[in-house]
Amino acid sequence: MQPIQDIHIIESRPLPPPDEICKDLPITEKAAQTVYEGRQTIKRMMRDIDKRMLVIVGPCSIHDETAAYEYADRLNALQEKVKERLFLVMRVYFEKPRTTVGWKGLINDPYLNGDCDIAYGLWKARKILLNLCHRNICAASELLDPVVPQYIVDLICWAAIGARTTESQIHREMASGLSMPVGFKNSTDGNLQIAIDAIHSARYPHSFVGINRDGKMYIWKSTGNVWAHVILRGGREQPNFDADNLLFASRKLSETNLPLFIMVDCSHANAEGQYQNQATVWKYLIQQKIEGCDALRGLMLESHLHEGSQKIPADLTQLKYGVSITDPCIDWETTEELILYAYENLADKL
C-alpha cells in the first residue's frame, strides 16, 4: 500500500497538556487579581462608565525576557503619571502571523534558532506573563493558534484577532468563548465590514472543537463574547484613521447595534509602513478626540526600549538589546512623550 498520510511530516514531538505547564507555573492570587481588575476596567470603559482612553502599547513582539521586564517597569511608572486619563496595557505578543515566512514568535521558536521548541515556548510565555502580572502589568496579546489560549489565556487582560485571521470562523468561535475583551482588526485590504461581521459572530453562541486543560479534545459551547470591538489598522490602499473613516466606522457600528467603541492602531498600514509616522497618527487622533469623536476610545502603539528593528543574527550574542526583531518600533523616549502629550491635551476632555 502506498503511503497516503503524513507524507510531508518529517518529525512529531509530544506537547505537554496545558495543565502540566499551568501546574508548573500556577496562577497566584496576586496575578489573578491583576487580570481580573484589568479586564473589569476595560469592560467599564466599553460600557462608557470609565471615560479614560485605553492604550495598548509595547513591543511588536516579545523575544527577550529581560527587556520585557524593563519595559514593563518603565510602563508602570508612566501609568502612575497618567492614570487619571489613560489606562495603559502592555503589548505582550508571542505569536506572529507571517505573510510568507519568517520568525513566528517566541512560542514557536523561543531560542531564535529554528529549533521550534514549542513546549518550551509555551512555558516561557506563561512565565513572562505571570511575572508581568506580579508587576501589576495588564497584558494584551494576539491569539493566533487556537490551541495556545489554554496555556496562557488566564494571564491576559485583552486579546486581539489580527487582520489576517479576522475572517476566520475558527478565530471568531474562539473569541466567542474567551473571558476578556477582544479586538478584531479590519482586514489587510482595509475592509471594515469583515471586522464588523466578526464582532457579530463572536457575540453569538457557538459550538466548536478544542482541547481542555488535560490536553483532550472537547466540544466547547460558548455563550458569546459581548466585549468584542473593532480595531482600525488601515489597508493596502490607504490608512483609515482620519475623521471621515472614524465617522464611517461609527455609523456602521450604530447601524448594526454594536457598541460605539473604536480602537485605532497607529502602526501598520495607518503609519504607511513607517514606524516614525505613529507619532503623527497619534497626535491627529488625540485632536479628533478633543474635537468630539466620542467613539474613539482606544489607541495602539508599537514601541520598544530602542527604535527600529533588527534581523536575527546567526550569532545571537550580536542581538541588540531592546530592539524589535519583527516590525520596527518607536523608542521609549518617544513613547513617553506621546503618552504624556495625550494626558496633557485630554485634560479638558476626560
Side-chain angles (χ1 to χ4, degrees):
M1 180 184 295
Q2 294 296 318
I4 58 172
Q5 185 173 336
D6 297 334
I7 59 175
H8 297 301
I9 300 298
I10 58 172
E11 181 185 7
S12 63
R13 308 178 195 176
L15 187 66
D19 202 44
E20 183 176 319
I21 290 176
C22 292
K23 284 181 177 177
D24 192 41
L25 295 166
I27 189 168
T28 62
E29 185 174 342
K30 167 63 178 173
Q33 190 66 22
T34 298
V35 173
Y36 176 79
E37 290 178 357
R39 291 177 181 177
Q40 292 302 109
T41 296
I42 298 170
K43 290 175 181 178
R44 287 194 298 271
M45 297 171 88
M46 293 193 67
R47 290 198 301 265
D48 206 27
I49 297 170
D50 188 328
K51 303 290 186 179
R52 293 179 296 172
M53 290 284 285
L54 175 61
V55 178
I56 309 295
V57 56
C60 174
S61 59
I62 300 295
H63 71 274
D64 182 334
E65 185 175 355
T66 302
Y69 298 149
E70 181 179 343
Y71 188 99
D73 290 341
R74 295 188 186 191
L75 195 66
N76 237 341
L78 184 56
Q79 173 68 91
E80 281 300 306
K81 297 179 182 178
V82 302
K83 61 184 178 182
E84 292 178 6
R85 297 169 204 143
L86 304 172
F87 181 59
L88 309 182
V89 176
M90 181 172 165
R91 276 182 64 109
V92 190
Y93 282 34
F94 298 118
E95 301 179 89
K96 299 304 297 179
R98 314 309 303 183
T99 301
T100 52
V101 294
W103 186 68
K104 296 179 184 177
L106 184 134
I107 286 177
N108 183 270
D109 187 14
Y111 294 114
L112 313 184
N113 63 1
D115 182 60
C116 297
D117 187 346
I118 294 175
Y120 177 65
L122 288 164
W123 184 90
K124 188 168 185 179
R126 184 170 179 85
K127 177 191 174 189
I128 291 171
L129 286 168
L130 191 59
N131 286 333
L132 290 175
C133 286
H134 291 159
R135 285 171 153 85
N136 296 314
I137 287 291
C138 294
S141 197
E142 179 175 342
L143 298 177
L144 183 60
D145 189 309
V147 171
V148 165
Q150 289 289 0
Y151 290 87
I152 63 171
V153 81
D154 56 327
L155 298 170
I156 294 172
C157 295
W158 180 91
I161 304 298
R164 297 169 182 81
T165 45
T166 285
E167 199 167 6
S168 159
Q169 176 172 300
I170 292 171
H171 291 81
R172 294 175 178 188
E173 292 170 345
M174 177 180 71
S176 77
L178 291 174
S179 300
M180 76 289 290
V182 179
F184 284 93
K185 289 192 173 183
N186 62 253
S187 61
T188 54
D189 65 2
N191 189 315
L192 176 63
Q193 187 61 48
I194 287 173
I196 289 177
D197 291 344
I199 295 167
H200 277 290
S201 176
R203 289 167 67 90
Y204 278 84
H206 288 279
S207 296
F208 55 95
V209 175
I211 66 167
N212 72 346
R213 293 290 285 265
D214 293 329
K216 296 177 181 177
M217 297 303 298
Y218 267 65
I219 298 170
W220 296 93
K221 290 183 178 289
S222 68
T223 61
N225 187 344
V226 299
W227 307 108
H229 62 88
V230 71
I231 306 170
L232 304 182
R233 53 86 72 196
R236 294 191 193 97
E237 300 300 321
Q238 61 184 9
N240 63 0
F241 66 87
D242 59 278
D244 288 343
N245 273 291
L246 289 171
L247 180 60
F248 176 74
S250 299
R251 287 174 176 168
K252 293 290 287 186
L253 292 171
S254 294
E255 288 169 2
T256 53
N257 297 314
L258 290 174
L260 286 177
F261 188 97
I262 297 172
M263 178 175 286
V264 179
D265 181 355
C266 295
S267 186
H268 299 101
N270 277 333
E272 299 181 284
Q274 301 297 318
Y275 71 93
Q276 301 94 331
N277 288 346
Q278 290 186 83
T280 302
V281 178
W282 176 276
K283 291 180 179 179
Y284 177 89
L285 290 167
I286 295 303
Q287 188 60 38
Q288 289 302 303
K289 185 68 175 179
I290 293 168
E291 292 178 6
C293 184
D294 293 331
L296 177 59
R297 300 302 311 279
L299 298 171
M300 300 182 75
L301 283 173
E302 287 194 315
S303 150
H304 214 323
L305 297 174
H306 304 293
E307 71 173 356
S309 63
Q310 61 183 323
K311 293 183 178 180
I312 301 175
D315 179 1
L316 294 179
T317 64
Q318 299 303 307
L319 268 178
K320 298 175 185 176
Y321 178 73
V323 177
S324 173
I325 62 172
T326 46
D327 289 349
C329 298
I330 57 174
D331 61 19
W332 176 258
E333 290 74 22
T334 304
T335 305
E336 188 171 38
E337 175 191 334
L338 291 177
I339 289 175
L340 290 173
Y341 173 90
Y343 174 76
E344 292 162 3
N345 283 273
L346 292 172
D348 295 330
K349 182 66 181 178
L350 300 178

